[in-house]
Amino acid sequence: MHAAHTSDSRSRSSRPARPFDRVLVANRGEIAVRVIRTLRRLGIHSIAVYSDADADAPHVRLADEAVHLGPAPAALSYLDGARLVQVAVANGAEAVHPGYGFLSEDAAFAGACRAAGIVFIGPGDEALEVMGDKIRAKRHVAASGVPVVPGVSDPDLDDAGLIAAGEQVGFPLLVKPSAGGGGKGMQIAADAAELAAAIPAARRVAQAAFGDDTLLLERLIERPRHIEVQVLADAAGEVIHLGERECSLQRRHQKVVEEAPSPLLDAETRARIGAAACDAARSVGYLGAGTVEFLVSDAAPDEFFFIEMNTRLQVEHPVTELVTGVDLVEAQLRIAAGEPLALAQDEVRLDGHAIEARVYAEAPERGFLPSTGEVLAWREPDGPGVRVDGGIREGQEVTAHYDPMLAKVIAFGVDRNEAIARLDRALADTVVLGIDTNLAFLRRLLAEPGVRAGALDTGLIDRMPQPAPAMPPSALFDAAAAAVIAVESADRARVVPSGPGAWSEARGWRPGDHRVPRVLLAPRDQPVAVHEVPAPATASATAVARRSADGTVWAYDAGASAAFLRLDRRAAAEAVRAAGERGVLAADPELRAPMPGTVTAVLVADGDAVAPGDAVVAIEAMKMEHRVLATVAGIARVAVGVGDLVARDRVVARIDVAPTASDAAASDATSPPAPPIGAHPAAASSAPHEE
């Protein structure tokens, strides 16, 4: 498909088969797997590193050897630069590939590698230092003629000075921390009053997150699109670009879907923005693979403005690889070994279209909160043009210690429509059971008219309606019921019967007849929607179902998945009755953990009076803190302490509500009777199906 691109016009045959003999990969998960695959293809001995949480992770299994770093927290393992250098030296690594994230843009780590005689597969110190500071980077590239967003980037200005300068630039303005990234601390100000409030708020977040409260202001671009350009630069000073990627589909400033090329740019603008990216890279003597990011207004696509440069490989690099035929990890390795670029700019061709979706361990119906747990089932999609970069396996525990991205599903097509269609099919065929994922949300996003038409901007996802829990299709109830019957039958078979075997083991038999076994199931997120499901005679050929250690039943069939509670009749009746009792209150007085994680703060004392909206407990997981708020007025009864590990939906506190006499009378008069258990769509019953 890309044979013309992978041939090297600069005599690849004269190059060594492998640029290094031994390389340490200082990362984890899908990026470590991605790097190790190229190392193996080139015959390079790969050395993986791992924390306690990753002892049996896929990247550890794939590498030629693996070295233990330390405990699960990243600060004690993957972020320990001194330990990584020590491991590299002790194991004879000639080079270190940092992947992305962690230490990939850390100038101190790069310097420590070089001081130890190890090649850091990344840029030099100037690029890391200049491009690591947004204010310095903007000033630097602007001096090289690269267009930048109008704004203020003076680190010496105090709050009053920033407000005055911002008024000169004009509103609306974007307030951004100079250090860090990922959208953390960003604030939007529509006028001077909002700017006065946004600046101290952004400073607090920046200081807490990055240890640096320096801010910059930028003119807010209306209907912005996020376009980034992939560059390659060698030690001889040659710099080329490999086209652009459209990264406008973002949520909370985090990319969700990326594609190449952008449906917005024409050939002339592509050439200009590519040249600007190369100029930015040259200005810092760049070496290796990097990404220069720009903002482009959907209303004026011929204008673009520099945002920042990422001095590393990007998560979304596969879409560039698919449309150019260039293995970017191999390019990094060969450049780091001192080899010249394999392509000249006029030899770069963009063929077809590629689009990538990030599969996260998160629950879209619960505000995209992260999810943890054991991966009970993992099946990658395949088919024409489909690629998966994943870092998980069945039986692996997804913890709260690291980023929630599980894998990337990428599709290539001759044009954008074919690529989107292939990605949608691939997402439908992806099976992940045991943890919540955003797979269904990704398919819904791809179906959005604006996405199909290529009319993208960074606010598109935020304008979509919040996903709501939906009743799973009957096929999933069937798959879950079949799994329950199979597991429970196997459990019974392992028990030695105390009496005649036939009477102890048989289920459902009646004189002259056999009653089909039935299972009471409720969607995990709708526990009162109880359905009585007859075990299907034959299971669907496409169905996959598993039961977790806590009894939750996970099922997949035909592109849909769901988690179910397996109930007995007493538990079902209690769930329905409890829901009826709560119905007389404005909200549930039991406060539950919205995600699994660690309690970082208890914000009220047991016995304190609270009002609706008061923060009671703070829980942190996967770089996110969530505060559990009081739902009703009353007395707080706290059930957890700081440092406790809590599971999703665990009760962390309860608000004792003292009902008035009139409340009690109203409850007696209005409490509804407990609703009946719903019948499964396939059940022959006169009981109502719907609750």
Side-chain angles (χ1 to χ4, degrees):
M1 180 170 59
H2 297 290
H5 297 169
T6 54
S7 64
D8 187 352
S9 62
R10 304 188 185 188
S11 184
R12 180 183 291 270
S13 61
S14 65
R15 299 180 173 207
R18 57 178 185 261
F20 300 102
D21 291 321
R22 298 172 67 86
V23 172
L24 182 140
V25 182
N27 217 294
R28 64 175 300 279
E30 61 89 14
I31 182 53
V33 170
R34 164 69 191 92
V35 173
I36 291 169
R37 283 176 176 164
T38 289
L39 295 177
R40 292 175 68 91
R41 180 175 64 76
L42 296 175
I44 298 172
H45 186 91
S46 57
I47 305 167
V49 291
Y50 64 92
S51 70
D52 290 347
D54 285 337
D56 201 25
H59 76 278
V60 174
R61 293 184 172 191
L62 186 64
D64 294 305
E65 64 177 290
V67 180
H68 178 248
L69 283 179
L76 303 177
S77 52
Y78 297 107
L79 289 174
D80 188 341
R83 169 69 174 147
L84 284 163
V85 172
Q86 179 187 48
V87 169
V89 171
N91 289 273
E94 300 163 88
V96 168
H97 195 301
Y100 45 74
F102 289 145
L103 300 174
S104 61
E105 296 178 285
D106 189 307
F109 177 63
C113 288
R114 296 184 184 111
I118 297 168
V119 175
F120 176 78
I121 300 175
D125 293 341
E126 181 185 9
L128 290 169
E129 291 171 1
V130 172
M131 293 303 181
D133 183 314
K134 289 187 178 67
I135 290 178
R136 189 176 176 188
K138 282 188 66 176
R139 287 178 170 176
H140 189 89
V141 302
S144 300
V146 178
V148 298
V149 179
V152 181
S153 56
D154 186 345
D156 296 326
L157 290 178
D158 59 12
D159 289 7
L162 277 175
I163 293 170
E167 291 177 332
Q168 293 298 314
V169 173
F171 295 97
L173 285 170
L174 187 63
V175 184
K176 300 169 62 174
S178 179
K184 190 177 290 293
M186 284 189 185
Q187 305 274 339
I188 294 175
D191 54 37
E194 290 189 5
L195 181 60
I199 287 174
R203 284 203 195 277
R204 286 193 298 271
V205 174
Q207 183 63 45
F210 313 121
D212 181 353
D213 69 355
T214 305
L215 303 178
L216 59 90
L217 307 182
E218 289 180 352
R219 173 78 59 80
L220 183 66
I221 304 299
E222 303 290 350
R223 289 161 51 196
R225 294 177 74 136
H226 189 125
I227 308 292
E228 62 186 31
V229 179
Q230 179 71 58
V231 297
L232 292 175
D234 65 18
E238 291 294 320
V239 184
I240 65 171
H241 71 86
L242 301 179
E244 83 287 350
R245 297 185 285 258
E246 173 85 54
C247 303
S248 298
L249 292 177
Q250 303 178 7
R251 185 183 58 78
R252 296 173 185 163
H253 303 288
Q254 295 288 340
K255 300 165 191 172
V256 178
V257 171
E258 305 99 351
E259 57 186 301
S262 167
L264 179 69
L265 303 189
D266 57 23
E268 190 272 335
T269 305
R270 177 169 296 116
R272 289 195 302 113
I273 199 171
C278 291
D279 288 342
R282 285 191 194 93
S283 74
V284 289
Y286 200 77
L287 182 72
T291 303
V292 184
E293 304 195 354
F294 296 90
L295 273 184
V296 183
S297 172
D298 187 61
D302 60 333
E303 294 183 342
F304 49 84
F305 304 99
F306 172 88
I307 310 172
E308 62 182 333
M309 183 174 188
N310 285 298
T311 52
R312 54 174 168 80
L313 200 64
Q314 291 278 92
V315 176
E316 56 274 18
H317 76 274
V319 294
T320 295
E321 293 184 324
L322 288 174
V323 298
T324 62
V326 176
D327 182 328
L328 290 172
V329 173
E330 180 179 354
Q332 287 184 298
L333 293 164
R334 295 194 177 279
I335 291 169
E339 296 182 26
L341 292 177
L343 290 170
Q345 187 64 66
D346 59 5
E347 294 173 310
V348 176
R349 300 287 184 274
L350 305 183
D351 289 340
H353 200 92
I355 185 166
E356 168 186 296
R358 304 187 187 195
V359 180
Y360 285 110
E362 63 184 10
E365 296 81 7
R366 297 166 70 97
F368 295 91
L369 291 174
S371 174
T372 62
E374 182 185 358
V375 179
L376 303 175
W378 163 244
R379 188 181 73 194
E380 294 184 3
D382 55 17
V386 173
R387 165 178 165 176
V388 177
D389 283 13
I392 61 169
R393 61 168 179 80
E394 287 192 9
Q396 182 177 349
E397 193 76 18
V398 176
T399 74
H401 293 293
Y402 311 119
D403 186 271
M405 191 172 72
L406 304 174
K408 300 174 303 194
V409 180
I410 314 109
F412 173 86
V414 297
D415 57 27
R416 188 170 186 268
N417 288 337
E418 183 177 62
I420 290 176
R422 285 179 169 178
L423 179 59
D424 182 62
R425 285 196 300 272
L427 292 171
D429 291 342
T430 303
V431 180
V432 185
L433 298 181
I435 50 177
D436 295 299
T437 73
N438 65 334
L439 281 165
F441 172 78
L442 289 171
R443 296 190 66 201
R444 179 171 157 237
L445 176 60
L446 290 180
E448 279 286 305
V451 174
R452 293 282 176 166
L456 314 175
D457 66 77
T458 57
L460 187 149
I461 291 178
D462 292 335
R463 294 192 300 272
M464 292 173 62
Q466 175 73 22
M471 188 61 62
S474 61
L476 292 182
F477 279 96
D478 289 340
V484 168
I485 294 298
V487 169
E488 293 180 353
S489 296
D491 289 343
R492 287 195 299 271
R494 286 192 291 269
V495 177
V496 178
S498 57
W503 294 105
S504 298
E505 294 303 310
R507 290 293 183 275
W509 289 101
R510 296 293 183 271
D513 193 12
H514 177 260
R515 184 172 66 90
V516 175
R518 294 170 180 269
V519 179
L520 292 181
L521 295 172
R524 182 198 51 187
D525 295 328
Q526 303 175 67
V528 298
V530 183
H531 288 66
E532 184 172 3
V533 186
T538 57
S540 165
T542 59
V544 182
R546 300 285 191 273
R547 191 173 72 169
S548 63
D550 65 2
T552 303
V553 183
W554 298 78
Y556 163 91
D557 191 37
S561 61
F564 297 91
L565 303 177
R566 197 279 196 245
L567 306 171
D568 57 27
R569 293 196 172 274
R570 175 178 294 177
E574 288 176 352
V576 172
R577 182 167 50 254
E581 291 171 353
R582 288 197 301 268
V584 301
L585 296 174
D588 190 347
E590 290 188 335
L591 309 184
R592 300 175 182 273
M595 60 184 181
T598 303
V599 177
T600 55
V602 175
L603 304 168
V604 300
D606 190 75
D608 281 356
V610 295
D614 287 352
V616 178
V617 169
I619 299 171
E620 183 179 35
M622 292 181 176
K623 306 178 185 177
M624 178 186 297
E625 182 178 89
H626 185 91
R627 293 196 167 194
V628 181
L629 308 180
T631 52
V632 293
I635 303 301
R637 301 300 179 190
V638 180
V640 293
V642 174
D644 285 357
L645 297 176
V646 295
R648 166 179 158 153
D649 288 330
R650 174 179 166 181
V651 175
V652 295
R654 178 183 175 85
I655 309 302
D656 284 347
V657 182
T660 64
S662 59
D663 289 335
S667 173
D668 292 340
T670 61
S671 294
I677 293 173
H680 180 65
S685 172
S686 59
H689 178 118
E690 299 294 332
E691 293 297 334

